[in-house]
Amino acid sequence: MKPSRALVLALQILFGVALLVAWHFAANIRVGSATLKFFLSAPLDVFWRVVKLFSEGEIWGHMWITFQETVYAFVLGSVAGVLCGFALARNPLAAAVADPYLKAANALPRVVLAPIFMLWLGLGVWSKVALGFSLVFFIVFFNVFQGVREVPATILANARMLGFNERQLFRHVYWPAALTWMFSSLHTSVGFALVGAVVGEYLGSAAGLGYLIHQAEGVLDTTGVFAGMAILTAFVLIIDALVTVIERRLLVWQPQGAQTTT
Amino acid sequence: MSSMTPETGRAPAVSLRGVSIAYRVGDGARYEAVRPVDLDVPDQSFVAIVGPTGCGKSTLLNAAAGLIAPSSGSVSIFGEPLAGVNRRAGYLFQLDALMPWKTAIDNVAVALEPMGVRRGEARERAHAMLKRVGLASFADRYPHMLSGGQKKRVALAQTLIRDPKILLMDEPFGPLDAQTRVIMGNLLLELWATDRKAVLFITHDLDEAIALADRVIVMAAGPRSHFVGDFRIDLPRPRDIAEVRHDKRFFDLHRDIWAALRDEVSRAYAQADGVAA
């Protein structure tokens, strides 16, 4: 039997409160003359720090920078991924030649590229965009490549029988198939764009949420680190919710419980 | 099999002459699915091919569609040799062939695009066509929101809107439940009665073949499949395919054709067992 929504919600809230209370008491455990606050900070301290960050207004600039980096990385990575995925899926020779290089490039943990990007593009926005791009590109690329190559044979045969020329085949069959696969990886690729931005900032920058956390860490400001993490989490959840809304609109034609009732 | 002389005096809609289909299998050996056959489908006639599964009947249909090239022999369409895809034929597939990202009406309207019909007009005509197949109120649904029978209606509308002179059908009602098959069969006959196209209909269901067609051809079990029977179906039209089954003549035809088909079906099973053993 499915538990009722109210029960689930009540237990979720209870669990959250229990965690915060446990954290609160753990932070106030006395060790000699001090408390564990130095290591754990405390929920109320973190809360007031977040309030302070927002009331002073400095945080908005950092959020804007991270948002910009995420969007650029996502858009550029997706466009390049779709184009390359498409080109290689329709050109078996090029795909065969490129295959080992793509596999090798994808096998490399992209984080190690961050210093190179900083060397090339400086400490500003673009080195973070490059890192995010290198993550997003491969996800989109492999999805689109697969999607275009796996268009059902019957749909292709039908399109040929209907007399589609290359252009019409592209427009009505391959392009929608490719976009479908891109959208199906939307959550993952937006997530990776954000990872690229924050990790890049963390490794060297002068602004952004990753920079904020790194700064706090540098001065052993545990409260600052947790406050940065809390803001970053909320930031990711909001972006993810936006993606879900966009996804719902773009993929109306796909079977999804929610759509069939409308 | 002897080829039939076209009744109309004109060239047959589809004519296969000495057509064979062979594949090269993994170890370089040649697998001959269909050995040379002759077949004429006269204009405006409804021809059904029945045969056991795996006898190569769909392969033969694909040769008539120009989707595959025969290994030998020639295909001509209204007297002209076929090169590439058969532009004068509409093809109804067994599996889902609709574009899942397009609504029913867009799936139908897009079939007019290669013919250079403007979008507005295409949608109007698509709407009229959906109405003819009884789906006007489902025009804006995506394929996944439609039942199997409704999807077949959209596919039928998509095929018919181009007004092809030939209809090639590959077990189109195979995946449907029994009641829906009857309804779709009657819809097909009704549409065909108002606009007689040459139909080549593939099925493994003998009842369906007799109920629909003017002529039923029985195919042997593969490999090296060929025609083993050619029966004229003289049941009066219009027919209701659920009721025609109770006709005495239907019963006789069924008995005769089944006698030919039964041997092939058991051979097909014996071969499948032989391969497995």
Side-chain angles (χ1 to χ4, degrees):
Chain A
M1 213 178 71
K2 219 173 161 223
S4 78
R5 269 186 74 88
L7 178 69
V8 172
L9 190 67
L11 287 174
Q12 280 172 337
I13 291 170
L14 197 69
F15 183 67
V17 170
L19 273 183
L20 289 174
V21 169
W23 181 11
H24 176 80
F25 283 108
N28 284 307
I29 292 172
R30 294 210 145 267
V31 181
S33 60
T35 62
L36 281 181
K37 269 193 181 175
F38 176 75
F39 297 105
L40 297 179
S41 184
L44 282 174
D45 293 359
V46 172
F47 174 78
W48 289 117
R49 179 67 70 87
V50 171
V51 170
K52 184 166 163 258
L53 279 168
F54 276 99
S55 61
E56 283 173 357
E58 192 200 350
I59 189 76
W60 296 109
H62 292 298
M63 281 170 76
W64 175 238
I65 293 284
T66 304
F67 181 73
Q68 266 183 312
E69 290 162 353
T70 304
V71 170
Y72 287 152
F74 170 72
V75 170
L76 296 176
S78 294
V79 168
V82 168
L83 292 180
C84 288
F86 218 94
L88 289 194
R90 300 289 283 136
N91 188 342
L93 177 66
V97 172
D99 181 64
Y101 299 100
L102 286 164
K103 283 215 179 92
N106 190 41
L108 181 77
R110 250 48 59 73
V111 177
V112 302
L113 291 176
I116 291 286
F117 288 142
M118 260 158 234
L119 204 69
W120 292 345
L121 301 166
L123 290 178
V125 167
W126 293 105
S127 58
K128 284 78 194 170
V129 173
L131 187 59
F133 176 95
S134 74
L135 290 162
V136 171
F137 171 80
F138 285 97
I139 297 164
V140 175
F141 169 81
F142 285 118
N143 265 305
V144 169
F145 183 67
Q146 195 83 349
V148 171
R149 290 221 302 190
E150 284 177 14
V151 173
T154 313
I155 292 181
L156 282 179
N158 191 39
R160 285 178 65 198
M161 287 308 296
L162 293 176
F164 282 8
N165 59 26
E166 272 297 310
R167 197 181 55 82
Q168 287 154 346
L169 209 56
F170 174 86
R171 208 175 122 205
H172 297 300
V173 179
Y174 287 117
W175 183 244
L179 284 192
T180 305
W181 283 72
M182 195 205 106
F183 292 142
S184 69
S185 59
L186 207 60
H187 281 278
T188 324
S189 45
V190 168
F192 271 106
L194 193 72
V195 166
V198 173
V199 170
E201 287 163 2
Y202 188 85
L203 292 176
S205 66
L209 291 174
Y211 164 81
L212 208 66
I213 294 174
H214 188 59
Q215 284 299 102
E217 199 183 289
V219 295
L220 303 178
D221 174 13
T222 325
T223 307
V225 173
F226 277 115
M229 274 163 47
I231 293 167
L232 188 59
T233 304
F235 184 77
V236 174
L237 287 176
I238 289 167
I239 287 189
D240 206 58
L242 281 175
V243 170
T244 304
V245 170
I246 293 168
E247 200 175 31
R248 285 253 167 88
R249 287 198 64 102
L250 291 173
L251 294 180
V252 277
W253 60 270
Q254 277 196 339
Q256 260 165 26
Q259 255 71 43
T260 50
T261 54
T262 54
Chain B
M1 245 17 253
S2 66
S3 64
M4 291 195 25
T5 45
E7 290 136 82
T8 49
R10 292 194 296 137
V14 178
S15 175
L16 309 183
R17 282 285 163 274
V19 166
S20 76
I21 314 269
Y23 298 103
R24 203 156 287 289
V25 285
D27 49 5
R30 194 162 174 274
Y31 175 84
E32 191 169 40
V34 181
R35 81 182 189 205
V37 293
D38 294 333
L39 169 70
D40 281 332
V41 181
D43 194 17
Q44 307 196 333
S45 74
F46 199 129
V47 175
I49 298 180
V50 283
T53 38
C55 73
K57 45 194 193 305
S58 299
T59 320
L60 216 51
L61 193 73
N62 285 340
L67 288 172
I68 57 168
S71 308
S72 72
S74 65
V75 179
S76 32
I77 304 303
F78 291 108
E80 291 165 27
L82 176 65
V85 169
N86 187 346
R87 294 257 171 256
R88 307 182 71 172
Y91 196 127
L92 207 59
F93 292 84
Q94 180 180 12
L95 300 171
D96 261 350
L98 297 174
M99 287 157 261
W101 40 79
K102 286 187 187 296
T103 56
I105 192 161
D106 286 337
N107 260 294
V108 178
V110 80
L112 289 172
E113 199 181 297
M115 306 171 84
V117 178
R118 286 212 345 268
R119 183 166 303 216
E121 193 199 329
R123 278 184 75 89
E124 255 168 56
R125 283 169 60 182
H127 203 272
M129 190 42 105
L130 280 175
K131 210 167 176 176
R132 280 187 68 192
V133 299
L135 265 189
S137 50
F138 294 90
D140 293 322
R141 298 246 185 137
Y142 288 94
H144 81 89
M145 303 171 183
L146 300 170
S147 70
Q150 290 169 332
K151 277 190 259 194
K152 282 294 167 204
R153 285 168 194 257
V154 178
L156 195 58
Q158 187 187 55
T159 306
L160 291 178
I161 199 167
R162 293 170 57 242
D163 195 22
K165 290 289 158 262
I166 303 164
L167 260 184
L168 305 173
M169 308 179 94
D170 181 14
E171 302 197 34
F173 310 142
L176 305 177
D177 62 79
Q179 288 86 357
T180 313
R181 290 176 78 149
V182 169
I183 293 168
M184 288 304 294
N186 279 334
L187 173 68
L188 176 62
L189 284 187
E190 188 192 312
L191 292 168
W192 185 67
T194 57
D195 177 18
R196 283 194 160 221
K197 301 171 185 305
V199 180
L200 185 54
F201 191 99
I202 303 289
T203 180
H204 60 260
D205 181 348
L206 182 54
D207 284 38
E208 186 176 57
I210 300 173
L212 290 171
D214 294 326
R215 210 176 128 203
V216 171
I217 292 171
V218 179
M219 242 180 133
R224 299 181 54 73
S225 184
H226 54 281
F227 299 153
V228 293
D230 187 342
F231 298 83
R232 179 158 289 280
I233 308 298
D234 47 10
L235 294 165
R237 293 188 189 273
R239 300 178 194 161
D240 179 305
I241 70 166
E243 274 159 30
V244 80
R245 282 163 215 228
H246 307 304
D247 196 301
K248 172 74 171 66
R249 184 75 195 123
F250 182 96
F251 184 79
D252 293 341
L253 282 164
H254 191 281
R255 190 192 49 218
D256 294 348
I257 304 174
W258 176 245
L261 187 59
R262 186 182 48 212
D263 296 344
E264 295 310 323
V265 171
S266 26
R267 265 188 53 208
Y269 275 106
Q271 274 163 10
D273 288 346
V275 169

